[in-house]
Amino acid sequence: MIFELPNLPYASDALEPMISKKTLEFHHDKHHAAYVTNLNNLVKGSKFEEADLETIIKYADGGIFNNGAQVWNHTFYFEQFGKDKIHMLKNGAFSDAVYRDFGSLDIFKDKFSNASKTLFGSGWTWLVKKPDGTLDIVQTSNAANPMRDGLKPILTCDVWEHAYYIDYQNKRADYIENFWKIIDWAVIAKRY
Ligand code: MN
């Protein structure tokens, strides 16, 4: 199948000042776009030519896996933000699970932030739902995606330097602190 770059679900300046227009233009229009282009070139003539992204993430290796997972990861990351129409965490099944498995939303955020700060090198931090329904935080390196291990992604933070370097330089912790201010919790709760 031919993969396409999804449009951002908001204007490129909608997340300022937490994530600048310039960062989003590079991150979406250049990086995300390049993963789509690379993936389309790589699957041509391969056994994954007709595969969807989830199949690629579960079964592919090498460049097809790396680019396919990065296409999926970035779409998932960009979809969870919304500055103007942001929704707070409401009572419900997801909120219950956060309190049950972490104690409170603040404790969860601290643990997730810490996992994001301490991830060595390029990668992603994930809130995942395990097959038994409980929540957990996992770190993955480079393009890796928890679906490969049978986990359902709920929330993610991109800690590749390209996600924050223009705005925050080496201050990854500041990027993560501001990351929480643009999370749309209605999107996250729906994923759960
Ligand atoms: Mn990225």
Side-chain angles (χ1 to χ4, degrees):
M1 61 192 283
I2 306 292
F3 297 98
E4 285 179 13
L5 178 68
N7 289 325
L8 285 175
Y10 33 71
S12 56
D13 62 357
L15 306 181
E16 290 199 333
M18 277 66 83
I19 296 177
S20 70
K21 183 173 194 274
K22 193 173 176 189
T23 290
L24 272 190
E25 284 173 353
F26 274 95
H27 203 179
H28 174 268
D29 305 353
K30 307 288 183 197
H31 289 278
H32 197 183
Y35 295 126
V36 173
T37 304
N38 293 341
L39 179 63
N40 282 324
N41 289 331
L42 288 165
V43 295
K44 234 176 270 169
S46 81
K47 65 175 176 179
F48 292 101
E49 191 155 12
E50 299 303 325
D52 59 15
L53 281 180
E54 213 166 313
T55 303
I56 286 171
I57 287 170
K58 282 184 181 155
Y59 303 108
D61 289 300
I64 294 180
F65 171 79
N66 286 333
N67 286 281
Q70 285 293 76
V71 170
W72 193 98
N73 296 352
H74 282 90
T75 301
F76 191 76
Y77 170 80
F78 290 130
E79 278 176 351
Q80 68 195 2
F81 301 126
K83 193 187 163 199
D84 295 327
K85 55 166 189 65
I86 199 158
H87 297 90
M88 306 314 285
L89 182 59
K90 282 201 189 130
N91 291 336
F94 173 65
S95 153
D96 289 350
V98 168
Y99 279 78
R100 179 194 66 208
D101 297 333
F102 297 102
S104 75
L105 181 62
D106 284 342
I107 295 170
F108 158 66
K109 283 159 80 173
D110 280 349
K111 285 187 171 168
F112 187 97
S113 293
N114 197 44
S116 303
K117 284 178 218 165
T118 57
L119 196 158
F120 188 78
S122 294
W124 301 78
T125 318
W126 305 85
L127 173 67
V128 296
K129 185 179 176 183
K130 298 196 281 189
D132 67 3
T134 60
L135 294 169
D136 201 4
I137 296 167
V138 295
Q139 300 167 311
T140 62
S141 285
N142 300 319
N145 180 299
M147 288 195 290
R148 183 105 169 179
D149 303 313
L151 303 167
K152 180 180 167 59
I154 305 293
L155 167 75
T156 194
C157 186
D158 185 348
V159 294
W160 284 56
E161 284 186 347
H162 68 223
Y164 61 88
Y165 216 83
I166 292 170
D167 298 332
Y168 300 95
Q169 294 79 50
N170 60 320
K171 298 187 285 284
R172 189 194 279 186
D174 291 358
Y175 157 66
I176 294 160
E177 194 182 324
N178 281 339
F179 164 87
W180 295 114
K181 297 176 186 166
I182 47 175
I183 290 290
D184 189 325
W185 289 98
V187 174
I188 309 303
K190 203 172 162 198
R191 287 171 174 173
Y192 177 80

